[in-house]
Amino acid sequence: MEVESMSDDPSGSEESTEPTEEPTESSSAGGLVPAAQTTPVKKQATTPAAHSAAASVLGYLHQTRWGLLELLRAKGDNPDLSLTLEMHDDVAWEDAGTPTELKQMKLHVKALKDLTDSSDDMWRTLGVWLDNGRPRDVHGPVLTLVTNSSAAEGSAASMLRPDAATRDPAAAAGLLAAVAAKSTNKETKKARDKFLELSPAERMVFVERIYVADESADLDDVDEEVATRLRPGAPTQHFDTYLDQVWGWWGRTSLAMLRGRTERITVAGMRTALERVRDQFASENLPVLVQADEIDLEAALQQHEDRTFVHQLKWVKVQPRQLQKAILDYQVAYLQETRWLAEHLVDYDELERFTAKLIDEWEREFDFMCGELGEEASEEEKRSAGRSLLHTLSNSTLAIRARFDDATHARGRRHALADGPDLGWHPDFQTHLEQLLLEHA
């Protein structure tokens, strides 16, 4: 993947910048946070180095987003086709583990330039394919250059477009051979020499497999086409939220491929994932709009260290990690509800009904705990019973909707209730609350 640098270049060079940093995964889900409480969300510092890497990040973003577009464009006759990123090429298709098409991505973000026979874009691409595209193999993979530049009229690139009416690989091979022999460009010399090492017949085998998809979609156009292809069958009332969820899933999936944690995804796998995302918007389900890694845990710990629900946990002496998880659950649940409300996925009545169910569940378990303890229970026995109650309810399957299976929300909502007088873990939590109020008076 190459992307033109964002920096000013008085020379007007067509040099492209190779990406040098992995993109960072981020959530695209939006939401409104009430002014009454700030939400500790992870932030990244802006530095000169970050600005210099902007072109590289845009290149990776375009490459990965193009991958989803490729999957959506795929025909349904072979759902087992696999797509890879940075394995065989920038983007590649496989059939039963064998690459069938390699795609080189070229994105220009500052100024579009014509793709000519001597362009760096053209020869860098050919150089890659001369190394790993099996240039002499008549049965080798299809080789496609995807660029938002335009193929110059009469150029080899213009003769390698997919349009059968204008396609002329033989003439293109001749033009490329002539440039390879005459050019003095040091940047392209290695690729040109390798091209000339091929016999005329081998050049034809190679060039006949090359296609140029010029004037292809840039970042904005890719986003627009993806949205257009996803719209049929998507939840019409919450399409933007659904689209955010799809991009979030694809961001995590493509990052896993770029990091080598997973190698490929099939068309069928993409469809299954989209069905799961769509299913979150069913009447008995809700989408997960908040991921735990969004939260700045250190900031949350400091912000909530003196909250009542934290004191409640300390009264039963939970382990430090349990305390941290509880604060994280509280923060995630708070932000989750904020975003659901902002997107009109739930209303306050539904949240209040769920709260009533949580309180009823807690009352039943709390009363049973107190009955089992007896009047002579020691302080340590009471703390142990409180921890057991917390553990039992943390494993409860009670959820805001029947098919919503993310337990983080219910756990966090219980801690929100424990932030007041309605719920506690210690058998004598009300007495402790009274003492806490006196201390803060």
Side-chain angles (χ1 to χ4, degrees):
M1 171 69 213
E2 291 183 6
V3 58
E4 182 189 55
S5 173
M6 294 285 287
S7 61
D8 293 331
D9 183 2
S11 69
S13 170
E14 292 192 28
E15 292 266 341
S16 295
T17 305
E18 292 282 357
T20 57
E21 296 183 3
E22 288 186 343
T24 56
E25 186 176 357
S26 65
S27 169
S28 57
L32 301 176
V33 181
Q37 177 177 348
T38 57
T39 301
V41 179
K42 290 182 179 177
K43 298 180 180 179
Q44 292 183 348
T46 301
T47 64
H51 287 297
S52 68
S56 297
V57 172
L58 285 174
Y60 271 117
L61 184 61
H62 183 253
Q63 175 185 343
T64 55
R65 292 200 166 213
W66 190 279
L68 178 57
L69 180 57
E70 284 282 320
L71 287 164
L72 291 171
R73 285 177 173 179
K75 296 179 180 179
D77 53 355
N78 190 353
D80 293 328
L81 279 176
S82 300
L83 183 120
T84 66
L85 299 175
E86 294 288 352
M87 180 181 289
H88 307 290
D89 212 329
D90 291 339
V91 178
W93 283 102
E94 288 182 342
D95 190 358
T98 300
T100 58
E101 183 174 8
L102 309 184
K103 291 179 180 282
Q104 274 279 304
M105 312 296 298
K106 299 287 187 265
L107 174 68
H108 291 268
V109 295
K110 185 175 67 174
L112 293 177
K113 302 181 179 71
D114 283 346
L115 188 64
T116 67
D117 297 340
S118 58
S119 293
D120 285 357
D121 277 0
M122 174 63 80
W123 283 102
R124 286 184 178 182
T125 298
L126 294 177
V128 170
W129 289 338
L130 286 163
D131 286 336
N132 63 18
R134 292 152 51 193
R136 296 175 174 85
D137 186 354
V138 68
H139 300 296
V142 173
L143 306 168
T144 303
L145 168 58
V146 180
T147 178
N148 60 334
S149 296
S150 300
E153 190 65 30
S155 66
S158 71
M159 299 173 185
L160 295 176
R161 291 173 175 142
D163 187 355
T166 59
R167 186 171 169 79
D168 191 348
L175 289 173
L176 291 172
V179 167
K182 292 189 304 181
S183 176
T184 59
N185 188 335
K186 294 180 181 179
E187 298 296 325
T188 65
K189 185 178 187 307
K190 185 177 179 181
R192 290 186 288 104
D193 288 347
K194 287 184 178 180
F195 185 78
L196 292 175
E197 288 174 4
L198 300 176
S199 69
E202 290 171 336
R203 290 175 204 159
M204 277 303 304
V205 167
F206 179 46
V207 175
E208 281 180 341
R209 290 163 37 216
I210 296 176
Y211 291 81
V212 174
D214 65 326
E215 299 183 8
S216 290
D218 59 15
L219 274 168
D220 291 337
D221 292 335
V222 168
D223 288 358
E224 183 176 344
E225 184 176 343
V226 166
T228 299
R229 289 179 176 274
L230 287 172
R231 196 173 292 277
T236 55
Q237 188 176 0
H238 303 291
F239 178 74
D240 290 343
T241 307
Y242 166 77
L243 184 60
D244 284 345
Q245 291 295 97
V246 171
W247 279 124
W249 161 76
W250 180 245
R252 294 185 294 273
T253 301
S254 57
L255 189 61
M257 287 196 284
L258 290 172
R259 288 177 170 172
R261 294 174 182 172
T262 185
E263 293 184 342
R264 56 186 58 81
I265 181 172
T266 64
V267 174
M270 180 268 297
R271 291 176 183 165
T272 299
L274 294 185
E275 288 173 2
R276 285 198 301 267
V277 175
R278 175 63 180 83
D279 186 59
Q280 293 181 85
F281 293 84
S283 60
E284 294 185 346
N285 204 350
L286 281 169
V288 176
L289 302 184
V290 183
Q291 302 295 329
D293 58 9
E294 286 185 59
I295 307 302
D296 185 333
L297 182 56
E298 289 301 319
L301 294 176
Q302 293 178 14
Q303 178 180 341
H304 301 310
E305 62 182 352
D306 199 37
R307 298 294 292 262
T308 300
F309 81 91
V310 174
H311 287 286
Q312 293 250 37
L313 293 164
K314 291 179 177 178
W315 292 335
V316 294
K317 291 196 172 181
V318 299
Q319 294 294 315
R321 185 182 297 176
Q322 287 178 288
L323 185 61
Q324 292 180 5
K325 296 287 187 183
I327 292 174
L328 184 61
D329 288 343
Y330 171 87
Q331 192 66 60
V332 170
Y334 167 80
L335 190 54
Q336 184 81 273
E337 291 183 359
T338 301
R339 293 182 179 176
W340 281 340
L341 289 166
E343 299 293 339
H344 305 291
L345 290 161
V346 300
D347 57 28
Y348 286 104
D349 286 343
E350 184 173 11
L351 291 176
E352 288 178 2
R353 289 194 299 271
F354 181 54
T355 296
K357 291 179 181 179
L358 290 173
I359 292 175
D360 179 71
E361 180 188 50
W362 168 82
E363 287 175 343
R364 296 170 188 273
E365 294 294 336
F366 183 81
D367 291 346
F368 178 80
M369 173 190 72
C370 292
E372 290 294 297
L373 274 174
E375 296 180 359
E376 303 301 325
S378 66
E379 178 61 22
E380 183 50 44
E381 288 173 330
K382 291 179 180 180
R383 290 170 178 165
S384 177
R387 291 193 296 270
S388 295
L389 174 62
L390 174 64
H391 179 73
T392 297
L393 293 182
S394 295
N395 291 323
S396 168
T397 58
L398 185 62
I400 188 170
R401 291 189 184 171
R403 293 171 59 190
F404 182 71
D405 59 2
D406 186 350
T408 302
H409 173 249
R411 291 196 301 261
R413 169 51 42 191
R414 289 188 189 94
H415 292 306
L417 291 170
D419 205 45
D422 298 320
L423 183 153
W425 313 114
H426 194 285
D428 301 326
F429 79 94
Q430 291 177 327
T431 301
H432 285 287
L433 284 174
E434 291 171 2
Q435 292 174 350
L436 186 63
L437 287 174
L438 289 173
E439 291 172 5
H440 284 82

